[in-house]
Structures are given as C-alpha cells and as structure tokens.
C-alpha cells in the first residue's frame, strides 16, 4: 500500500493506493476520522461486483451503512439524478457529518461528489475509484460536476474529498476498452511533465495492458503523484492546472461531434496527436517525438486515425465549445516529451489544416 498526502492546508487529504483496500476500508475511514454512519453512492454494476466486499468489511467493523444506487452511464450525471439523491439523503435523515462514499468510475465520482458538495452545504466525501480513469484522474483534485442537455461538466464545484482509497484490485473486472480509456490520461501526464515516465510506459505498455500487478501500482501511483503535485500548486485551475487539458481541446470536440460514441480516452488520444501536429507545424516540436507519442497511443489500443467524422463536424463542435479570441483558440502544446505549455498562438486555419489532412 502506498500513501500520498495532497497538501491543501485544512483541505489536505490522503490518497491511498493499494490492493484489496475495499476489505480494509473500515480502518482507512477510521484513520481519516470519519464517523461510522455512512452512505455509499454507487451503480448496480459496481454493487453486484463489490457490494459484498464493502458490506462485509464495514458491517463487521460496526459501521451502519445505506447504499443508494444510480443507474449506470454518463446520462445519469445530471441535476435530476442529483435531486433524487438529495431526496433519498433527506429520507435517511443524514446529518452534516455523514460521509458520502462515491464508489465507481468518474461518473459516480462526479455525481456523488457534486451531491456531497451541495447537500446541507457539504458532507464529508470519500472517493473510491474503480476505473483506471477515475483512479489516475477524476478522484483526485476535487472537481465535481453534473451535465445538462447541452452543457457538459460546467455545473460543478471544487470540493476536495477527505480521503481517496484506490483499490487497484477492482481493475481486474474492468473491460479492456475502459482500461484503454484510462491509459489516455496516463499518457497525457507523461507527455506534459515526465519524460522518464513516458519511457517507462514505452517499455512496459504490454505488461500494463496485461494488468501486471507491480506495473499497475507503479503507473497509478506515479500518475496520482503528478496530478496531486499540479493540484497543490493551482487548486482552482487558474493557471498551471490548465496543462491537464492537453489533448482535451480537440478531444472534447471529437467526443461531442461523434455524439459521445467515441469514448473520452479515445478522443483525448486523438486530441493529443492533434496538439502534437500543431506544435510540429509551429516548429515547436519534432517529428520523432510525435511519432513516439503515436506509437505509444497505438500500443495502448487507442486510436491514431480519425474515425468516421468529417473535419468540418469536429471544427464546428470546437468553435461552438471554445471561446475564440482574434481567430485563435487556447491549446496545450507539447514542446518535447515531458514538457508542455499553454499557447494562444494556434490559429483556426492551423486547426483546419491539421484536421483536414488527418489520415494522410
Ligand atoms: P464511468 O464512470 O462511466 O465508468 C465506465 C464503465 O465502467 C461504467 O459502465 C461503469 O459501471 C463500469 N465500471 C466501473 N468500475 C468498474 C469495475 N471495476 N469493473 C467493471 N466495470 C466497472 O466512466 P469513467 O471513464 O470512469 O469516467 C468518465 C467520467 O469522468 C466523465 O463523466 C468525465 O466527465 C469524468 N471526469 C471527471 C474528471 C474530474 O476531474 N472530475 C476528470 C476526468 C473525467
Ligand atoms: N481532469 C482535469 C483536472 O482535474 O483539472
């Protein structure tokens, strides 16, 4: 088991990464000073796989728990779903000190986190991420949100958890496509900030995809450490934290143009390559490193070719989504593997050029 403290003054918290933590949760909650009456928010997929493990440990150790189920899927990350949860919390007569345990992927983490942030102006939150994406990214850093029909992820808050308990063993049941989805964010960290991590990924991607235990632990812990380091410096995303959006500018446009049929990680992989190509055209990045990125993305079973989307659809989604200043959109560009920067130098015509020549 490895531990890391994310230091944010009185909002500091511990991130614990290890195996079979669900079976040790009672002790971890005790150590975090959380009370013994808790509410678990999860979905039926997770409940079926891990409900028994959670219940056995917690009930055996004297916890009183209620479990609230939300149907599976991104479509549940709404104010309507939050409202149903508020009502159930009221029915349970929860108090302001009752911890909410968000057990699941990023959808549950964001929704349950949003509910914890807002119900009674804030209940203690524990993130228990069960997808690779949630373990390396969404459970850390305190961004919680819901979507509306046309606005994704913008109705939210910065609300730090009291504890993140990352049980790597839960990844054993994660479908391969979801695993690759999370690998996109792992590759992102390596490109923006850590060239040695990138080399580690190149050397170990095959083992990682086979979910080799020591490799998984290393990759999750290193990713969490990178993200925590960035959040500590810029919790409210006013500067440095923006670099975590590497691959997300084009990525979000691809997701939205495909009507969310292309997964987030797949779209981010394409977005990272697009940013690499733009940086190359601006003379700020080199072809060999762009190619290394492409090879690693393909090794992670993520796409390097643009799927069946016209560049015009992507461009339209991009210009609809992003603020354009003087014909320019803000991008995070790689300078070299291990170093990225925020740029306002990308013109719409450069974006068009890269997107229209994508698969050539
Ligand atoms: P998800 O939560 O929908 O999970 C993907 C699928 O895997 C679901 O069907 C889920 O039920 C299933 N699943 C989860 N754990 C499992 C396990 N251990 N075994 C088997 N199946 C399992 O998707 P996600 O990719 O984890 O998260 C995506 C969401 O995260 C998006 O809403 C995105 O906006 C959000 N996000 C938030 C942040 C943040 O900082 N808050 C960062 C990145 C992404
Ligand atoms: N996932 C981006 C962030 O947490 O800032």
């Amino acid at each position: 088991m490895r531990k890391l403290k994310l230091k944010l003054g009185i909002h500091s918290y511990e991130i614990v990464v290890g195996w079979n933590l669900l079976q040790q949760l009672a002790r971890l909650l005790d150590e975090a000073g959380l009370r013994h009456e808790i509410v678990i928010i999860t979905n039926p997929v997770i409940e079926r796989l891990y409900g028994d493990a959670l219940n056995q440990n917690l009930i055996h150790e004297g916890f009183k728990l209620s479990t609230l189920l939300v149907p599976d899927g991104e479509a549940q990350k709404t104010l309507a779903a939050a409202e149903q949860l508020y009502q159930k919390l009221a029915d349970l007569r929860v108090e302001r000190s009752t911890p909410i345990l968000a057990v699941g992927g990023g959808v549950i983490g964001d929704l349950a986190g949003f509910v914890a942030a807002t119900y009674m102006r804030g209940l203690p939150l524990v993130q228990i991420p069960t997808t690779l994406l949630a373990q390396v990214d969404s459970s850390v850093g305190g961004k919680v949100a819901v979507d509306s029909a046309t606005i994704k992820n913008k109705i939210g808050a910065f609300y730090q958890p009291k504890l993140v308990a990352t049980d790597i063993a839960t990844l054993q049941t994660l479908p391969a496509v979801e695993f690759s989805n999370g690998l996109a964010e792992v590759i992102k960290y390596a490109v923006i900030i850590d060239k040695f991590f990138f080399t580690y990924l190149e050397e170990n991607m095959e083992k990682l995809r086979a979910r080799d235990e020591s490799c998984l632990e290393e990759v999750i812990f290193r990713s969490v450490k990178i993200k925590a380091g960035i959040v500590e410096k810029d919790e409210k995303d006013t500067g440095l934290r923006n670099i975590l959006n590497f691959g997300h500018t084009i990525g979000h446009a691809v997701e939205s143009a495909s009507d969310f049929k292309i997964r987030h990680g797949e779209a981010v992989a394409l977005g990272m390559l697009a940013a690499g190509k733009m940086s190359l055209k601006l003379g700020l990045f080199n072809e060999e490193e762009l190619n290394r990125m492409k090879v690693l993305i393909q090794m992670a079973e993520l796409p390097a070719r643009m799927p069946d989307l016209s560049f015009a659809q992507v461009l339209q989604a991009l210009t609809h989504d992003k603020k354009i200043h003087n014909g320019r959109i803000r991008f995070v560009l790689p300078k070299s593997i291990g170093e990225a920067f925020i740029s306002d130098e990308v013109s719409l015509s450069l974006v068009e050029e890269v997107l229209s020549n994508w698969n050539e």
Side-chain angles (χ1 to χ4, degrees):
M1 179 185 303
R2 298 203 218 178
K3 290 185 181 183
L4 176 82
K5 185 117 175 170
L6 196 155
K7 297 190 203 82
L8 287 173
I10 56 162
H11 299 297
S12 301
Y13 52 96
E14 205 135 65
I15 303 166
V16 186
V17 177
W19 294 85
N20 304 314
L21 295 192
L22 295 186
Q23 288 81 350
Q24 306 166 56
L25 208 50
R27 183 172 53 74
L28 295 173
L29 294 174
D30 263 342
E31 283 170 9
L34 294 161
R35 64 178 266 186
H36 280 203
E37 256 182 73
I38 58 176
V39 176
I40 293 175
I41 298 181
T42 189
N43 74 28
V45 177
I46 312 292
E47 159 74 3
R48 182 173 49 77
L49 291 166
Y50 299 109
D52 285 350
L54 279 167
N55 290 347
Q56 269 167 26
N57 172 251
L58 293 168
I59 292 170
H60 183 260
E61 298 300 325
F63 279 72
K64 188 166 171 272
L65 52 115
S66 309
T67 300
L68 303 181
L69 293 180
V70 178
D72 193 14
E74 176 78 27
Q76 294 303 318
K77 223 180 88 174
T78 59
L79 275 175
E83 218 169 317
Q84 289 186 11
L85 290 167
Y86 296 143
Q87 189 54 54
K88 288 178 184 166
L89 294 175
D91 295 344
L92 289 170
R93 300 191 193 294
V94 305
E95 294 170 17
R96 283 188 68 187
S97 55
T98 305
I100 300 287
L101 272 54
V103 187
V107 167
I108 288 291
D110 278 12
L111 172 65
F114 180 82
V115 166
T118 46
Y119 190 71
M120 297 179 98
R121 299 185 185 80
L123 305 176
L125 171 66
V126 178
Q127 290 282 6
I128 305 179
T130 63
T131 62
L132 182 60
L133 180 136
Q135 298 193 348
V136 298
D137 188 355
S138 58
S139 63
V140 174
K143 283 191 182 175
V144 297
V146 292
D147 307 326
S148 80
T150 52
I151 309 169
K152 192 172 147 49
N153 272 341
K154 288 203 174 75
I155 307 157
F158 289 98
Y159 191 69
Q160 302 297 338
K162 297 286 181 215
L163 168 73
V164 180
T166 293
D167 186 346
I168 309 169
T170 59
L171 297 185
Q172 280 155 354
T173 55
L174 191 68
V177 282
E178 296 298 347
F179 191 78
S180 290
N181 205 30
L183 285 177
E185 305 290 354
V186 172
I187 294 172
K188 173 189 82 177
Y189 292 130
V191 177
I192 59 173
I193 219 159
D194 190 342
K195 64 179 179 186
F196 300 108
F197 189 30
F198 192 93
T199 306
Y200 178 89
L201 292 174
E202 288 179 316
E203 287 166 357
N204 290 282
M205 187 52 81
E206 219 167 290
K207 273 165 81 181
L208 186 57
R209 286 200 32 253
R211 303 189 202 184
D212 173 88
E213 292 194 0
S214 68
C215 210
L216 263 181
E217 187 171 325
E218 179 68 16
V219 162
I220 293 168
F221 194 75
R222 275 171 94 152
S223 299
V224 164
K225 207 166 163 191
I226 290 172
K227 177 147 187 194
I230 292 173
V231 171
E232 280 174 352
K233 293 195 185 88
D234 178 24
E235 182 193 4
K236 299 283 164 68
D237 205 0
T238 56
L240 175 69
R241 191 168 174 170
N242 290 183
I243 64 165
L244 294 175
N245 283 336
F246 175 53
H248 287 61
T249 314
I250 294 289
H252 284 151
V254 168
E255 258 183 300
S256 136
S258 76
D259 215 5
F260 294 90
K261 287 187 186 72
I262 297 176
R263 284 184 161 72
H264 180 73
E266 294 166 345
V268 167
L270 292 164
M272 291 192 286
L273 288 175
K277 288 180 188 191
M278 288 169 201
S279 199
L280 181 71
K281 287 200 183 285
L282 289 168
L284 302 169
F285 192 46
N286 75 57
E287 188 127 32
E288 188 211 323
E289 295 207 314
L290 177 61
N291 203 42
R292 279 176 72 195
M293 266 173 61
K294 184 173 170 190
V295 169
L296 189 61
I297 282 170
Q298 287 171 318
M299 283 167 78
E301 300 268 287
L302 288 161
R305 285 183 70 78
M306 190 63 83
D308 207 11
L309 279 180
S310 76
F311 93 89
Q313 284 170 292
V314 179
L315 202 60
Q316 197 196 10
L318 183 71
T319 48
H320 179 259
D321 188 38
K322 302 286 167 202
K323 282 200 188 72
I324 301 178
H325 300 289
N326 302 326
R328 289 165 196 276
I329 302 178
R330 177 161 285 195
F331 272 89
V332 179
L333 299 181
K335 197 177 213 165
S336 60
I337 283 174
E339 191 181 354
F341 65 104
I342 296 162
S343 170
D344 291 318
E345 293 309 307
V346 178
S347 63
L348 262 184
S349 58
L350 176 57
V351 178
E352 267 182 55
E353 189 188 335
V354 164
L355 289 178
S356 58
N357 296 320
W358 191 275
N359 286 334
E360 283 166 16

